[in-house]
C-alpha cells in the first residue's frame, strides 16, 4: 500500500473519554491529534528472543525507528485482537498464531514533530516458530533480540526506538516479566 493510500485510510476517532466520534483520514487524525485505536504485538520465539521491527522510511510516524513486533491501527468497528492478527499478516506474513491479551487497554498521548499520536491501545503477546516475511513497504528490517541485548539497545541507543515502545516497555513491566511471559507462552 502506498504512503498516499495509507494517509487516506479512515480511522474511527473517539473522544478523550472513549466515546465513538466520526471517521477521519489517517493524516487528519495524526495532524489534529484525534484519539483512535491500535494494537501492539510482542512476538517471541522459543529461545526467548523478541522480534522487533525497524519501521519503513515511508511511514508518517516514527519512520526508520525500531518498534514492537507489530503495531496496527484498527479499522472502524474492528476488535483489538482482529487488528493485531491483521497486522501480523500484513506486516510480517504471520498467520495461524495464538496471541494473548496482556494488561488493560491503555491510553497513549505522544507528539512527534508536527504530528500527535493519541491512542487507546491494547498489547498482545505471542510465540512464533515459523518464518517471518516482512512487507518492505511497512518494515525496513527485523531482528530477534534477547532480553539482555534489548536492554543494552534501549539504554544506549534510545533515539533509535519509537518513544511509544519505550513507554510501553515500562507500562507493561516487560523487562521484569520477560522470562515469565516466554515460559508461559511456551507452555500454552
Amino acid at each position: 500500500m502506498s504512503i498516499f493510500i495509507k494517509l487516506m485510510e479512515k480511522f474511527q476517532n473517539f473522544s478523550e473519554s472513549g466515546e465513538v466520534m466520526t471517521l477521519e483520514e489517517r493524516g487528519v487524525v495524526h495532524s489534529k491529534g484525534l484519539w483512535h485505536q491500535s494494537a501492539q504485538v510482542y512476538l517471541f520465539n522459543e529461545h526467548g528472543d523478541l522480534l522487533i521491527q525497524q519501521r519503513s522510511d515511508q511511514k508518517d510516524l516514527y519512520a526508520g525507528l525500531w518498534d514492537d513486533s507489530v503495531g496496527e491501527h484498527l479499522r472502524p468497528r474492528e476488535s483489538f485482537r482482529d487488528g493485531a492478527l491483521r497486522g501480523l499478516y500484513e506486516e510480517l506474513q504471520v498467520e495461524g498464531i495464538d496471541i494473548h491479551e496482556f494488561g488493560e487497554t491503555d491510553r497513549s498521548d505522544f507528539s512527534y514533530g508536527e504530528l500527535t499520536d493519541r491512542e487507546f491501545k491494547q498489547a498482545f503477546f505471542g510465540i512464533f516458530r515459523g518464518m517471518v516475511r516482512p512487507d518492505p513497504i511497512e518494515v525496513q528490517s527485523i531482528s530477534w533480540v534477547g532480553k539482555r541485548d534489548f536492554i543494552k539497545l534501549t539504554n544506549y541507543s534510545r533515539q533509535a526506538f519509537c518513544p511509544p515502545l519505550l513507554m510501553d516497555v515500562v507500562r507493561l513491566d516487560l523487562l521484569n516479566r520477560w522470562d515469565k511471559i516466554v515460559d508461559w507462552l511456551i507452555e500454552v
Side-chain angles (χ1 to χ4, degrees):
M1 186 180 297
S2 75
I3 188 68
F4 178 74
I5 293 172
K6 273 288 207 193
L7 289 173
M8 301 296 289
E9 74 180 317
K10 299 279 188 173
F11 289 171
Q12 182 71 61
N13 67 76
F14 299 82
S15 69
E16 192 170 350
S17 62
E19 297 167 3
V20 174
M21 305 293 281
T22 60
L23 291 178
E24 297 289 346
E25 292 175 356
R26 174 191 188 106
V28 172
V29 168
H30 287 143
S31 67
K32 289 186 174 181
L34 302 176
W35 288 95
H36 54 288
Q37 295 177 319
S38 71
Q40 283 67 42
V41 181
Y42 297 86
L43 201 58
F44 292 89
N45 64 21
E46 65 273 3
H47 305 292
D49 300 325
L50 173 66
L51 177 73
I52 57 175
Q53 67 157 278
Q54 186 178 21
R55 296 169 59 85
S56 164
D57 286 333
Q58 303 300 309
K59 292 286 197 174
D60 60 331
L61 282 172
Y62 318 117
L65 298 183
W66 288 93
D67 204 358
D68 36 41
S69 306
V70 166
E72 189 64 42
H73 287 105
L74 299 179
R75 292 178 175 160
R77 296 177 296 286
E78 185 174 42
S79 71
F80 285 107
R81 178 175 302 283
D82 289 345
L85 292 170
R86 179 176 53 79
L88 280 165
Y89 183 75
E90 287 178 0
E91 295 182 18
L92 303 174
Q93 301 298 299
V94 168
E95 56 188 336
I97 180 174
D98 287 330
I99 56 172
H100 307 275
E101 198 170 285
F102 188 76
E104 300 293 321
T105 302
D106 193 43
R107 297 161 43 110
S108 173
D109 185 349
F110 195 83
S111 293
Y112 186 74
E114 294 182 13
L115 302 177
T116 301
D117 196 17
R118 289 190 173 116
E119 297 178 326
F120 295 103
K121 59 187 184 176
Q122 179 63 56
F124 293 87
F125 292 98
I127 195 158
F128 188 65
R129 295 174 175 91
M131 178 68 82
V132 175
R133 295 180 310 275
D135 176 353
I137 294 173
E138 297 274 346
V139 180
Q140 184 170 317
S141 181
I142 61 167
S143 182
W144 290 97
V145 294
K147 182 170 114 178
R148 202 173 263 151
D149 287 337
F150 185 80
I151 291 168
K152 286 180 192 173
L153 288 168
T154 55
N155 280 338
Y156 298 112
S157 301
R158 290 186 76 75
Q159 70 282 0
F161 287 85
C162 292
L165 166 66
L166 298 174
M167 291 187 314
D168 285 345
V169 166
V170 173
R171 175 180 70 86
L172 297 169
D173 197 20
L174 182 59
L175 299 178
N176 290 322
R177 295 178 171 179
W178 187 301
D179 297 325
K180 289 181 182 176
I181 290 167
V182 172
D183 290 343
W184 184 81
L185 287 170
I186 290 172
E187 289 177 15
V188 173

